[in-house]
Amino acid sequence: MPPARPVPPKPEAVYFFATCLVDLFFPAAGLAGMELLRAAGITVIFPPGQTCCGQPAANSGFPAEARRVARQQFAAFPAALPIVVPSGSCAAMMHRHYPALFAGQPDQAEAEAFADRVYELTWFLFHVCGFDPESCPPDPPARVTWHGSCHAQREMEVDAEPQALLRALPAVELLPLKRPGECCGFGGTFCIRQPEISAAMVSDKVADIVGTGAAEVLSADCGCLLNITGALDKAGIAVRGRHIAEFLWERRRRSTAEKPS
């Protein structure tokens, strides 16, 4: 499939930007993402000074505060290395919105150069790392469905890549949603400011997921997963929700474990 942006050469090392939600709610997703990159022969650097991408402040109408947060990331990721992000939402903020956020600022050029180094994880795995699904074992069989986040699909133009990775996995059946482009209703502060609308949207999303017959829903955005899994749990529906990095690493790790020593 043609990539939405130029594919860089495979680097010896990358930075990993974990995101707030990975740090606080889905640490296994971040660890799995880093392991997948390491398995591709890439050194992963995790700067301890990283914090938020600044999207909550920017979306709430506080651009000066968002720039202050973003500048901390400039300092935390100083080398000219790719920055891999396990979230289409945070990646979009840094890649697509930093240039506009810093337009006319003294550090506009620094922001633009930083933005150009940001890549969403599944795009990077597919186009740069050459993740080999055929190396994964055919057991156990799994029936999954895929939820692509709004920011990943519309701003990072990442949707076919994660689904291609899943479809190529042996014994993994990818069951499509009827309305794959529909938002789950999270939207960051939207779900707090408009709880009734958000609840109706996630209810529709849960019904779509259940209708596929999948045992597990995968996504690459932890905000969506937080909303969807919360709704599934509240409804007592036994469908598991996980970040795609966890799923891919579980299959890859099983393959490595089963190789004779």
Side-chain angles (χ1 to χ4, degrees):
M1 67 191 69
R5 57 191 291 196
V7 177
K10 184 177 176 181
E12 293 184 2
V14 299
Y15 285 124
F16 195 85
F17 181 83
T19 83
C20 300
L21 291 181
V22 166
D23 179 39
L24 297 173
F25 296 102
F26 297 90
L31 293 171
M34 289 188 281
E35 291 295 350
L36 287 167
L37 293 167
R38 291 189 184 107
I42 298 173
T43 298
V44 179
I45 303 169
F46 185 91
Q50 63 179 280
T51 58
C52 176
C53 67
Q55 183 177 172
N59 288 351
S60 298
F62 297 97
E65 288 78 0
R67 284 191 290 268
R68 187 157 60 244
V69 173
R71 288 182 177 115
Q72 184 166 340
Q73 311 325 307
F74 299 168
F77 299 82
L81 296 173
I83 302 167
V84 181
V85 187
S87 162
S89 180
C90 298
M93 176 63 192
M94 295 191 290
H95 177 64
R96 294 292 299 273
H97 297 288
Y98 275 10
L101 183 66
F102 282 87
Q105 298 292 313
D107 44 359
Q108 178 179 348
E110 183 180 7
E112 291 172 349
F114 183 97
D116 195 50
R117 294 192 283 130
V118 174
Y119 297 91
E120 191 273 341
L121 174 64
T122 60
W123 188 96
F124 200 84
L125 289 173
F126 185 88
H127 291 292
V128 181
C129 294
F131 178 78
D132 180 15
E134 295 300 326
S135 67
C136 299
D139 291 311
R143 304 179 81 230
V144 304
T145 192
W146 171 254
H147 168 73
S149 75
C150 297
H151 288 106
Q153 293 184 72
R154 294 168 177 81
E155 295 197 318
M156 294 302 288
E157 298 181 67
V158 175
D159 192 50
E161 289 86 355
Q163 295 189 69
L165 292 173
L166 293 171
R167 287 194 182 96
L169 287 169
V172 173
E173 184 180 3
L174 180 60
L175 303 166
L177 294 171
K178 288 185 177 179
R179 300 182 300 279
E182 195 169 286
C183 178
C184 75
F186 178 67
T189 57
F190 171 79
C191 66
I192 298 172
R193 293 175 174 174
Q194 302 288 345
E196 294 84 4
I197 298 174
S198 175
M201 293 171 73
V202 78
S203 178
D204 288 346
K205 179 63 65 174
V206 165
D208 200 359
I209 290 167
V210 172
T212 67
E216 190 164 4
V217 55
L218 304 174
S219 183
D221 269 276
C222 290
C224 300
L225 284 171
L226 196 65
N227 200 36
I228 292 169
T229 57
L232 287 167
D233 289 344
K234 185 175 182 179
I237 298 170
V239 175
R240 186 181 186 184
R242 273 198 295 176
H243 194 284
I244 186 175
E246 290 184 67
F247 186 81
L248 293 174
W249 178 239
E250 180 182 76
R251 310 292 290 196
R252 177 66 181 266
R253 184 175 53 187
R254 183 177 291 112
S255 173
T256 303
E258 290 178 358
K259 289 181 179 178
S261 58

